[in-house]
Amino acid sequence: MAKPAVIIVGADKGGVGKTTVARTLLDYFTAHQIPTRAFDTESPRGTLKRFHPELTEVVDMTMVADQMKIFDTLNSSQASVTVIDVRAGLMSPTLRALRDIGFIEAAKKGQITFALFHILGPSIASLDEINETAAYLGDARYFMVKNFINNTHFFEWDEATHSSYFKQIEDAVEIAIPKLNEMATEQVELASVPYLTFIANKKQSGEPASYSFVLRGYVRHWLGNVWAEYDRIALTDLVGAQTSGVQKVQARG
């Protein structure tokens, strides 16, 4: 049996699109037929659970009982990958808790695969988070995710400043999440379905829907670009998955 993999998606700063990235990860693993479960830490009502209700459980990461729900079940769960969507302001406390319970050490010993998707905003404040984050990572795979949720530009200052932050964590890898058309974003939000389901023109129940062909096309193209980034970093290899095939990003109906 492959060792369990845990992916934390987070940032201390709000409004950088953490849940958007978590949703693309769940769609990616679903398409690759990799058993995955998710935890939404935006308690009591989580955004991730609204889009992926069957895969997601809402938890309070500040509660020991809820930490046990996640980490005491890593080896017994049928899911080989656990995605944790960490709400704004909770990433550093979560990483501290992982250090304190011995999770970071277990990952260092190779008992668990641990990856952090750090969602960066376009300001120096997001880069300042790297300082604190680096202290807790151990041997985790660290991905700095530039999520272009609007038309702003990232890190518009001198290259020396940029490099001084990005070199703090050895082997850090940058990922770029392109911007999705605003109207397409709004329609998926209103539909409250995974991106794959929207592209397939289905409701959450699986019944046929009547979403715009044009907007489904925008979502299909965007999701394909996101997945190309996950392919580039060999995400399926990272989680140790044996994949038998991948569901292509297609617009049907």
Side-chain angles (χ1 to χ4, degrees):
M1 181 179 176
K3 62 182 176 182
V6 175
I7 297 176
I8 287 182
V9 182
D12 281 326
K13 180 176 173 55
V16 293
K18 295 177 292 297
T19 299
T20 296
V21 174
R23 288 159 59 192
T24 65
L25 287 168
L26 292 183
D27 276 345
Y28 184 80
F29 290 132
T30 295
H32 283 80
Q33 301 175 34
I34 299 172
T36 305
R37 62 178 185 164
F39 291 93
D40 187 335
T41 67
E42 195 177 339
S43 180
R45 187 179 67 179
T47 303
L48 184 62
K49 186 172 179 61
R50 177 161 66 90
F51 294 97
H52 292 270
E54 296 181 357
L55 299 177
T56 307
E57 181 177 354
V58 178
V59 295
D60 184 344
M61 279 295 291
T62 66
M63 303 294 292
V64 173
D66 279 4
Q67 294 172 7
M68 291 167 63
K69 284 182 182 179
I70 303 172
F71 300 106
D72 283 359
T73 58
L74 287 177
N75 289 303
S76 60
S77 172
Q78 293 183 346
S80 58
V81 178
T82 297
V83 175
I84 306 173
D85 182 8
V86 178
R87 67 170 172 80
L90 199 60
M91 187 173 75
S92 293
T94 296
L95 292 174
R96 276 198 298 273
L98 294 185
R99 179 198 60 190
D100 294 346
I101 67 175
F103 175 88
I104 301 294
E105 183 64 23
K108 186 175 182 179
K109 292 178 178 178
Q111 298 167 359
I112 301 165
T113 297
F114 176 35
L116 173 64
F117 279 57
H118 186 178
I119 317 302
L120 300 175
S123 70
I124 193 73
S126 282
L127 291 183
D128 283 335
E129 291 181 16
I130 296 173
N131 287 324
E132 187 164 1
T133 301
Y136 301 110
L137 282 180
D139 289 345
R141 291 296 305 275
Y142 184 73
F143 298 99
M144 298 179 176
V145 184
K146 295 181 180 179
N147 189 16
F148 290 85
I149 55 176
N150 52 43
N151 289 319
T152 192
H153 297 285
F154 275 74
F155 316 139
E156 291 184 324
W157 46 78
D158 65 278
E159 184 62 27
T161 300
H162 176 279
S163 297
S164 68
Y165 281 95
F166 276 70
K167 288 180 179 177
Q168 290 181 53
I169 300 181
E170 188 176 357
D171 299 325
V173 176
E174 289 188 42
I175 296 175
I177 303 296
K179 180 176 180 291
L180 176 60
N181 173 275
E182 290 94 339
M183 188 173 292
T185 299
E186 291 173 0
Q187 286 303 302
V188 180
E189 293 285 325
L190 289 172
S192 296
V193 296
Y195 293 114
L196 277 179
T197 304
F198 184 84
I199 292 168
N201 205 22
K202 298 288 182 62
K203 298 179 181 179
Q204 192 72 260
S205 63
E207 297 175 354
S210 56
Y211 308 133
S212 162
F213 176 84
V214 171
L215 297 182
R216 286 189 290 126
Y218 277 118
V219 175
R220 181 188 67 246
H221 179 74
W222 170 80
L223 191 61
N225 287 333
V226 175
W227 286 7
E229 285 288 87
Y230 297 160
D231 289 341
R232 179 178 63 82
I233 65 171
L235 185 54
T236 56
D237 292 342
L238 172 65
V239 300
Q242 300 293 324
T243 60
S244 57
V246 59
Q247 174 186 339
K248 292 183 179 180
V249 184
Q250 298 179 17
R252 302 182 181 90

